[in-house]
Amino acid sequence: MKTIHVFRPSLVILFLFTIFNQLEGAEEFTIPPLLAIVDLRTAGDDSSIAEAKAFSEFTRREIEQTGLYRVLSRSSMMAILKKHAFPLPCHELTCFVSMGKLLGADQVLAGHLQRNGDTYELTLRLISVKNASFIHSVYRTIENVSVDDLMGDRGLEIIAEVFQIDPQKFKEPDTAPTIKLDVPEKKEGIPDEVKNKYPGMIYIPAGKVIVGSDEGDPCEKPPHTVYVEAFYIGKYEVTNHEYELFIRSDERGVPPHWDGDVIPTGLKDHPVTWVSFADAEAYCNWLGARLPTEVEWERAAHGDEMRVFPWGDKFDSNNANTWEAGRGSTAPVGSYYLGASPFGVEDMAGNVMEWVSGFYEPYPGARALLEDYGKHLRVLRGGSWNFYSYYARTTHRFARPGGEKARSYGFRVVRDAAPGASY
């Protein structure tokens, strides 16, 4: 006789109820988010590039072993990006979000690492692909550390901060394999003790520079050659964080867009703005430095050869925070590292206009003597986020009263090098 099996819904319900009871109180299971880590950007010598790549790999390894993320391997990430001809490198939030969507990632980690002597400047930004926003950003200047320290406890502290996780989630540093630096053989050049004398500053060797242009405004004419002694110039514009240290010791008035005496959220590593010429000069004096002359600024901007922009003669909105970039505000310093000058000085085109020393006076041999010339106007250089690229040319001069402040006025510092330095 054939057996007939009867389906009884009550038995199924009883079975599911039993399973749910067994799971009750158990830890909820969720799939960890997929994280894509982009190699940290940098500028400088081969050692800096190697260290930036090594720290990126160090971060991949440490985050993956916490179990809180699934970390996309670098080889897989690059294979996908290459297959789809994804334009690299990225500079803007929108680019990183597009990258994350292509990779199927939930979050993207990007940033910048730069070494100056035994000081590291490190920026890490964790990005939500879904919300197209920054989840958390950390900017640190780490002094008196070795490469081993950076790839150890100090680095882990910063990684833990940007991911907002308990540092105890990491294994002891000596239980993990060492990240090796692939540093090419060092080339002869400026001695390290000279190049790295002032952390955060770029050494500009003595030499001749062509100042001015026949293609710009009358005040830029005529182009003429000037010899300039060696000097150091800030790699970046002075930031809100750096300026904050000054005003707290000097009791100087704070920029008007700050919340009382507090830097607006997210603007610590943006260039300080709403500063007059006197404010900029006072900061430099407090630091034991000074503002650059127009000649020094122009040499640092375009190097030994004439360039319309620090990177070349053709404008590229990916290289500078000008009106064409569409950002609509200042950017963290160093965000447009592809626009660095031949010496490696960044943001000399766009972001904020920069006060320089001296007055708005005619160049030697000028035929047009403008009414505005004299010792009543100062000069800003480099264009800004709210001006078109024409104003970001390396030779452009923008004359304004020294007491004027604006949302696009900032500055950077200069220090003298040893007299007669010839590197």
Side-chain angles (χ1 to χ4, degrees):
M1 181 177 180
K2 187 177 180 180
T3 302
I4 300 175
H5 297 280
V6 179
F7 175 73
R8 297 182 180 179
S10 58
L11 292 178
V12 176
I13 294 172
L14 177 61
F15 172 75
L16 293 176
F17 180 76
T18 302
I19 295 296
F20 291 150
N21 276 341
Q22 290 175 351
L23 292 176
E24 187 177 1
E27 184 177 351
E28 183 181 357
F29 177 75
T30 58
I31 300 176
L34 181 63
L35 174 69
I37 298 179
V38 184
D39 281 350
L40 298 185
R41 296 179 291 109
T42 192
D45 58 19
D46 292 331
S47 296
S48 295
I49 295 172
E51 289 168 356
K53 289 183 177 178
F55 191 83
S56 303
E57 190 58 38
F58 172 73
T59 305
R60 286 188 187 94
R61 185 192 71 190
E62 296 298 332
I63 287 299
E64 186 168 38
Q65 63 86 22
T66 65
L68 299 174
Y69 285 87
R70 295 171 294 138
V71 181
L72 189 65
S73 71
R74 185 181 188 278
S75 58
S76 298
M77 180 176 71
M78 296 309 296
I80 295 171
L81 296 178
K82 184 177 180 180
K83 179 181 178 181
H84 292 271
F86 189 86
L88 291 174
C90 272
H91 302 283
E92 300 294 328
L93 175 64
T94 53
C95 181
F96 288 117
V97 169
S98 297
M99 177 192 291
K101 290 179 178 178
L102 177 62
L103 297 172
D106 300 291
Q107 298 176 17
V108 174
L109 180 71
H112 181 272
L113 174 70
Q114 185 63 39
R115 177 173 56 81
N116 296 290
D118 59 355
T119 298
Y120 286 90
E121 297 176 11
L122 177 61
T123 301
L124 294 177
R125 295 188 174 90
L126 188 59
I127 298 162
S128 167
V129 176
K130 180 181 179 180
N131 299 326
S133 62
F134 292 111
I135 299 173
H136 199 60
S137 298
V138 173
Y139 170 78
R140 289 289 180 273
T141 298
I142 315 171
E143 298 180 343
N144 301 318
V145 295
S146 64
V147 174
D148 291 339
D149 292 331
L150 184 67
M151 307 294 175
D153 290 339
R154 297 300 297 278
L156 290 177
E157 290 174 5
I158 296 173
I159 295 172
E161 183 176 353
V162 74
F163 283 93
Q164 297 182 297
I165 61 178
D166 185 349
Q168 297 301 318
K169 290 285 185 180
F170 299 114
K171 294 179 181 177
E172 291 298 322
D174 58 1
T175 65
T178 302
I179 298 291
K180 295 181 179 180
L181 297 181
D182 181 17
V183 183
E185 184 180 351
K186 192 173 182 179
K187 300 177 181 179
E188 293 297 326
I190 302 169
D192 286 344
E193 62 269 21
V194 174
K195 184 171 61 175
N196 301 322
K197 183 176 181 179
Y198 298 110
M201 303 193 79
I202 300 291
Y203 176 78
I204 310 295
K208 293 181 179 180
V209 57
I210 300 175
V211 177
S213 169
D214 274 328
E215 305 300 322
D217 296 339
C219 64
E220 299 173 41
K221 304 175 182 179
H224 55 290
T225 302
V226 181
Y227 179 83
V228 59
E229 294 286 354
F231 61 97
Y232 295 87
I233 190 167
K235 181 176 182 177
Y236 307 112
E237 296 150 334
V238 173
T239 65
N240 283 304
H241 174 63
E242 291 168 327
Y243 196 75
E244 178 186 36
L245 300 177
F246 160 62
I247 61 176
R248 292 196 186 287
S249 64
D250 188 77
E251 297 185 355
R252 203 171 191 85
V254 300
H257 65 296
W258 287 19
D259 183 12
D261 61 350
V262 177
I263 299 171
T265 302
L267 296 186
K268 275 194 173 184
D269 57 350
H270 286 234
V272 65
T273 57
W274 294 101
V275 289
S276 67
F277 175 86
D279 292 332
E281 194 172 49
Y283 175 89
C284 291
N285 291 336
W286 170 76
L287 200 64
R290 59 181 175 82
L291 289 171
T293 65
E294 283 200 78
V295 171
E296 289 171 333
W297 192 97
E298 196 159 324
R299 175 159 171 73
H302 64 60
D304 296 329
E305 304 294 330
M306 276 300 301
R307 291 178 174 82
V308 178
F309 301 100
W311 58 87
D313 293 334
K314 185 178 180 180
F315 180 73
D316 187 337
S317 60
N318 291 314
N319 292 0
N321 184 21
T322 60
W323 184 263
E324 291 89 344
R327 189 181 187 96
S329 64
T330 58
V333 297
S335 295
Y336 294 80
Y337 77 101
L338 284 183
S341 79
F343 293 115
V345 188
E346 301 193 30
D347 296 323
M348 299 204 83
N351 219 10
V352 295
M353 293 185 174
E354 301 173 14
W355 290 108
V356 293
S357 64
F359 292 94
Y360 185 56
E361 296 185 302
Y363 286 155
R367 294 183 178 181
L369 298 179
L370 306 180
E371 293 182 0
D372 286 338
Y373 284 151
K375 296 188 181 299
H376 60 290
L377 293 179
R378 296 288 184 174
V379 179
L380 294 125
R381 289 293 204 117
S384 68
W385 61 269
N386 62 339
F387 277 72
Y388 288 104
S389 58
Y390 180 84
Y391 298 89
R393 294 177 299 109
T394 57
T395 58
H396 187 263
R397 309 171 74 195
F398 190 69
R400 303 303 300 168
E404 186 171 286
K405 302 182 181 184
R407 59 182 177 167
S408 58
Y409 295 1
F411 66 100
R412 72 178 72 219
V413 302
V414 155
R415 292 183 185 273
D416 294 321
S422 57
Y423 298 106

